[in-house]
Every structure is written in structure tokens, then in C-alpha cells.
Amino acid sequence: MTNPRQVAFIALKEVHKGAYADVALDRVLQKFKLPDNDRRLMTELVYGSVRRQRTLDALIDQFATKKIQQQPKDLRTILHLGFYQLRYQEKIPVSAAVNTTVELAKENGFPGLTGFVNGLLRQYLRLAEKSSESLYLPENPVEKLGILHSFPNWIIEVWLAELGFEETEKLCAWMNQTPTIDLRVNILRSSLEEVELAFASAGVLVKSIPHLPQALRLIGNNGPIQNLPGFYEGWWTVQDSSAQLVSHLLDPQPGDVVIDVCAAPGGKTTHITELMRDQGKIWACDQTASRLRKLKENAHRLHLQSIEIYTGDSRNLPQFYQIADRVLLDAPCSGLGTMHRHADARWRQTPASVQELSQLQRQLISHNASFVKTGGVLVYATCTLHPAENEQVISEFLAANPHWQIEPHPFIILNSSDSGWLKVWPHRQNMDGFFMVCLRKTKDS
């Protein structure tokens, strides 16, 4: 099968049955071998339709007499694909978007509803010709932003409380972009200049990222990552620029003992090892053995020797008591800073799941702090922007542990708050949303 829209429909059916979007996508890409252009189109249609689900549902409700809950699920999926192309894919001709969606309905169990599908899409087009905004929006700012940018109300409420309306809208727009790919050059195997030269020779465009000495951002579509120059030689690995900041904040030194307590799949572990010049000891802990295998593969490809892998829950490792110069707690979190990468995260997380995660984060920092020697540091980091998982966790920890204090960070350029922690807002810094703070242990408890 080489019809990218049909393959997208098959993947979306899996997502609507509960599969993670990236897992469903990988599964169909393995089954159906598509040319590169079709593969890119299919990927965009799947992620885009999942990401814009609330907006697409609102459009269907606006134009159809039967509301979205009354539509057969597969028909709803087909309509999502059609409306997504018309509203968000300017390079796709209108006729192609409409005709292929009608064809999808015919081929997937709805031959009697092709007129309905055609009429619904053309109603939208007629209104779009007359008005700059063809979607009717409520006045309430939470509902308005939620429907227009396709987020649940509770996420909009959190952002409005911190940012206000204008910045929240900018953040929403940023989170709906197709994500970029950042690389981290392995300074033990290559250099920024060498990688840039190799990429240029292969016709691959990249740009450097200010204040990150190992970071390059890919520009344009470059095919499978492993086909780029230097992958198998271990010259670089994929890692977002925000995540690279975390290891620089930890500032590991050659000869240190470092514990990365939630290490898999290993992006930060390998970065720490590179910054230590592969001299010292880094314990990479995680309770998921399969994810640690990925870490082991990455370390091998990058030719790193000083990583010791430990499978287990870091709340249960008394052997690490007070042995570490530095501890990284890259805590499990809701991922609300990386929703552009994880199209379905906004629909999977809830206020209740955030509260559960914040309880886990409190337990982890309390246990993992005991691994740090007096005078050592612990860096707490998440890829979420929710205060319950970030500022509140740190404030409670410091209140309960007066022998710990926030260590000033070097990233002045990022305009962090006076509190000493660092919150990366994607629409301001053009990188994933992250929270990070460096804590120093001033004396024994």
C-alpha cells in the first residue's frame, strides 16, 4: 500500500483505540514501505490530526447536524484528516484534500456518506472564503484558546495564571509547530566544525544554537537520522537544546562520581560523560531494563566507557548513600513542555495525573538527596511547565531541608527568575519547555 492518507487513517484508528501516537506511527511505517515524501505527509497528517483534535471536533460540530459524539469513530477520523488538510496544510490543493477524504470514506465502510463528507468540507471552504476565521469561538478566554489551539481547558488555565492571554497564545502556537531536531556533538570524538563540514558536504543544512557549545539544529527534511554523516562513528547524538542545558547546569568534572537516578534512555547520561571527558564514574540507574538497553546502545555508539548501569528504583538504593559528588534527578513528569513532540500528551495527562506525578517527584528528591556528599550538588529537572511538578516540589524540599540551598546558575541569557531556578519557556527561547534547578548540600543533616 502506498496511499499515505490511507496509512494515516490506519495509524489514527490505532491511536483512537488507545495506542501512543508515535508507537502507532512506527508500527504502520514498518508494515507499509512508503517513499520519503509520502512518509513525511503521512507523519504530518497523523501527528497533526492528533494534536489538533479539539479544533477539528469543533469544526465538525459546527457544520454537521449530528454532534461529534454521535459520529462513528472511523468517520470522525476520516473527517479529521480532511479538515486538517484544509485548515492547516496550505501546500495541499483544496481539491486533493476534499477528493481524497471522500475516497477514504468510500473505501473504509462509508460509501453511503460520501455526499455528507463532501458537503461538510465544502461548507467549511465556503465560509473560509468569506471570513478570516471560519471557526466560531466563545468569548471565554479559556474556552477560546482551548478550542482555537486544541488544548484541554485545564492546561490553558495553568498557562494563563502564569503568563496572561497574549503569551499563552504564543505558547499554544509554538506547541503546535512541527518539532525541530537538535543534535549534540560528541566532543570526545569530533567537533562542531567537523560535523558542520561533513553535513555541508552531504547537503545537510544545520545552524548552531547560541550559548550551547555542542548543539546544532537541523534545517529542513533530511531523511532517517542514522543516514546522516557521523552517526555510526559516534560523532553526535540527538538531544534537544533544553535537555543539553541540564548537564551544563550539573557541571560534572573529570574524576567525579555522578549518579543519574532516572537515566534511560540516556541522553543526559552520555552528555554528562562527555563533559567529564569520560573520566570518573557515572552510575546510570533506571527501573526499566528495556529502556536501559537503549542507553547501553547509545553509550557504545558514542564510545563512552565510564558509565555503570544499574537496574532498580532509585528510592531503594542504600548503597549510594553519600557517595556522589553530583546527582541528576531528571524526574518522571507530565511532559507538558514537550507537547509538540508528543502529539497525544495533552490528551493523556490530567490534573489528577499531574498530582500523582508531583507526589512521586517529592519522594524521589527526598530519597536521592541522600546520595550527595556534603558540598555536592543535586540537579532537579523536568520537561514540564506545571508549577506543581516544579516550583512547588523544590519549595517544599528546601523548607524541609535547611542544609540545602539553591546554587546560582550560569544561564543569565535565559532571563530566569530571581528565585534561582530556571524555567525555559518555549515561545521565548525556541526550545523545549524545561524546568531545572541546582541544589547544593551545605552540611550533613
Side-chain angles (χ1 to χ4, degrees), residues 113 272 316 344 348:
L113 291 174
I272 291 164
N316 242 341
D344 45 0
R348 290 185 177 278

Side-chain angles (χ1 to χ4, degrees), residues 112-165:
L113 291 174
T114 53
F116 164 75
V117 171
N118 182 60
L120 209 63
L121 297 177
R122 294 200 180 279
Q123 273 189 73
Y124 170 77
L125 287 169
R126 283 194 293 273
L127 187 57
E129 284 175 8
K130 296 178 190 172
S131 171
S132 59
E133 179 48 79
S134 46
L135 176 62
Y136 299 146
L137 296 167
E139 288 296 317
N140 178 289
V142 174
E143 291 275 334
K144 183 176 183 177
L145 289 175
I147 291 171
L148 181 60
H149 296 287
S150 192
F151 286 91
N153 286 351
W154 69 272
I155 292 178
I156 299 293
E157 287 167 355
V158 171
W159 290 348
L160 281 173
E162 289 208 68
L163 297 171
F165 187 89

